[in-house]
């Protein structure tokens, strides 16, 4: 059921995906091993949240899904994840939530950014994306220095495999659209040409849309969603 949800989410069939994820959680709740059950439930709730973020759900629909993942207090979650390298997949989802719903998460975003001196970093997916969203949040909070630092960390992450290389390229294009190109040097044209050959199934048209996008949050988010489909998260 969870796998079917992921397939529908990747195809952009968000309503069908949400139905399968809900069924998966109900099924996991019946497992005899409570530890394994909770692990699978947490993972599926993350999938469900990413699917809803991709679908552009209203805050009223997103909020209960966010609560199921982060609890009732987003400020507390911001404090926790900003200073800890643990549970990186949940950390990534929290930052995506902040970027997608800036007004509803304003207080928690400020908490997260205020802890910048204690931000942690590790290797491995999805740390590239954590750095990307840190850069996004810092940029739109008016701190170009921290934004450039975060984007450079994303670009300097070891990118083993074509998917991580694609994420790096997308990150570089986003940094350029935000006016950080000089601070975040990256061979965009050369990498785009190489990956067109080596990774033809990547969403190249979406990347071109991102390159031409207005530097407004809603336009960039829409382009990023297409550049980083569900199975890249």
């Amino acid at each position: 059921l969870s796998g079917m949800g992921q397939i529908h989410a990747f195809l952009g069939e968000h309503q069908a995906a949400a139905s399968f994820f809900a069924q998966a959680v109900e099924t996991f709740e019946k497992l005899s091993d409570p530890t394994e059950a909770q692990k699978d439930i947490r993972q599926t709730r993350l999938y469900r949240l990413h699917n809803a973020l991709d679908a552009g759900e209203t805050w009223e629909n997103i909020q209960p899904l966010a609560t199921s993942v982060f609890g009732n207090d987003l400020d507390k979650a911001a404090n926790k994840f900003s200073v800890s390298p643990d549970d990186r997949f949940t950390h990534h989802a929290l930052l995506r939530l902040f970027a997608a719903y800036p007004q509803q998460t304003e207080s928690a975003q400020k908490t997260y950014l205020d802890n910048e001196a204690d931000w942690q970093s590790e290797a491995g997916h999805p740390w590239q994306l954590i750095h990307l969203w840190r850069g996004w949040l810092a940029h739109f909070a008016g701190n170009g220095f921290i934004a450039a630092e975060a984007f450079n960390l994303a670009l300097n992450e070891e990118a083993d495999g074509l998917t991580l290389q694609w994420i790096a390229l997308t990150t570089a294009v986003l940094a350029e659209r935000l006016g950080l190109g000089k601070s975040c040097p990256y061979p965009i044209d050369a990498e785009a040409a190489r990956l067109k050959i080596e990774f033809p199934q990547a969403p190249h048209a979406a990347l071109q849309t991102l390159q031409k996008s207005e530097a407004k949050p809603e336009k960039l988010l829409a382009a990023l969603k297409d550049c980083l489909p569900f199975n890249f998260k």
Side-chain angles (χ1 to χ4, degrees), residues 50 54 89 92 96 125-126 129 225 228-233:
H50 278 299
D54 283 348
F89 290 99
H92 165 227
R96 238 197 117 195
H125 183 70
L129 295 172
K225 183 191 79 171
L228 301 172
F230 186 84
N231 63 330
F232 284 26
K233 296 183 174 74

Side-chain angles (χ1 to χ4, degrees), residues 10-11 19 53 67 75-76 82 86 95 104 120-121 141 165 208 223:
F10 171 67
L11 293 172
S19 175
L53 289 169
T67 298
D75 282 275
K76 184 177 179 181
S82 59
D86 297 336
L95 297 187
Q104 295 87 345
Q120 301 292 306
S121 177
Q165 291 163 24
Q208 292 178 343

Side-chain angles (χ1 to χ4, degrees), residues 98-126:
F98 289 169
Y101 298 89
Q103 293 179 326
Q104 295 87 345
T105 62
E106 186 176 0
S107 174
Q109 284 184 64
K110 185 178 184 305
T111 297
Y112 190 94
L113 288 167
D114 284 348
N115 287 343
E116 183 269 333
D118 297 313
W119 283 357
Q120 301 292 306
S121 177
E122 286 197 343
H125 183 70

Side-chain angles (χ1 to χ4, degrees), residues 19-32:
S19 175
F20 277 108
F21 289 141
Q23 292 176 66
V25 170
E26 288 176 8
T27 305
F28 288 138
E29 286 172 344
K30 299 171 185 173
L31 293 180
S32 57

Side-chain angles (χ1 to χ4, degrees), residues 63-77 81 90 94:
Q63 191 172 24
L65 303 182
T67 298
S68 76
V69 174
F70 310 115
N72 286 313
D73 190 338
L74 286 178
D75 282 275
K76 184 177 179 181
F81 288 109
T90 306
L94 181 69

